[in-house]
């Protein structure tokens, strides 16, 4: 585990079932659940089940099967919501400049409406 990983972050608590989430889907290596403060009609968070700080830490240190199953789960949520053709947006905030609030790697999947320009 990355020495900077805070085991008391909110997503670590969700993974330990200490606090509830609205689960959408899961597989052996990843969990998808609704964002508590949705920024679009569809706003799902996809996280690895093991402890990684951000996308860089994940891609540097996770196994190929962890990486594969995380992105597979993103696609499964896209399929479940039938938004592969209309489109969607993936965001992963990292660190201070990315304004990451929760220090456990997560992918935001947004869709269900036209999301406007990426950065206004
Ligand atoms: P970020 O700024 O990329 O770290 O985003 C963190 C996201 O986690 C925000 O969109 C929050 O609304 C969301 N969030 C925080 N706490 C919870 C929770 N308990 N369940 C679901 N989503 C959460």
């Amino acid at each position: 585990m990355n020495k900077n990983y805070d085991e008391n972050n909110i997503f670590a608590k969700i993974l330990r079932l200490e606090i509830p989430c609205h689960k959408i889907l899961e597989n052996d290596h990843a969990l998808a659940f609704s964002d508590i403060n949705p920024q679009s009609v569809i706003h799902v968070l996809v996280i690895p089940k093991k402890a990684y700080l951000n996308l860089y830490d994940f891609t540097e240190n996770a196994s190929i099967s962890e990486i594969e199953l995380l992105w597979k789960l993103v696609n499964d949520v896209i399929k479940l919501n039938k938004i592969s053709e209309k489109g969607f947006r993936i965001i992963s905030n990292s660190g201070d400049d990315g304004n990451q609030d929760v220090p456990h790697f997560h992918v935001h999947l947004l869709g269900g409406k036209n999301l406007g320009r990426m950065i206004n």
Side-chain angles (χ1 to χ4, degrees):
M1 187 192 304
N2 189 302
K3 63 179 170 44
N4 295 319
Y5 185 82
D6 171 11
E7 291 184 64
N8 288 318
N9 77 74
I10 198 116
F11 295 168
K13 291 181 181 174
I14 286 174
L15 287 164
R16 290 195 298 266
L17 307 179
E18 291 169 12
I19 62 166
C21 71
H22 179 249
K23 185 167 83 179
I24 309 293
L25 289 173
E26 69 177 315
N27 61 32
D28 283 353
H29 285 309
L31 171 69
F33 55 98
S34 301
D35 195 292
I36 206 167
N37 181 23
Q39 302 299 307
S40 185
V41 181
I42 297 162
H43 188 170
V44 177
L45 300 170
V46 182
I47 67 172
K49 289 187 173 177
K50 288 191 188 160
Y52 298 101
L53 283 174
N54 52 38
L55 175 60
Y56 182 81
D57 183 28
F58 180 67
T59 305
E60 280 287 294
N61 296 306
S63 67
I64 295 296
S65 60
E66 287 176 89
I67 294 170
E68 181 180 358
L69 284 189
L70 181 119
W71 292 110
K72 176 79 167 64
L73 195 62
V74 171
N75 252 31
D76 288 344
V77 177
I78 290 168
K79 199 176 296 176
L80 182 72
N81 285 282
K82 300 182 171 62
I83 55 173
S84 63
E85 288 188 16
K86 284 286 273 181
F88 51 84
R89 181 170 292 155
I90 297 282
I91 296 172
S92 189
N93 298 316
S94 177
D96 290 344
D97 281 359
N99 276 276
Q100 180 179 6
D101 287 329
V102 180
H104 179 112
F105 170 49
H106 51 282
V107 171
H108 295 259
L109 172 65
L110 298 144
K113 67 173 188 182
N114 186 302
L115 295 157
R117 305 298 301 176
M118 186 169 68
I119 294 176
N120 293 310

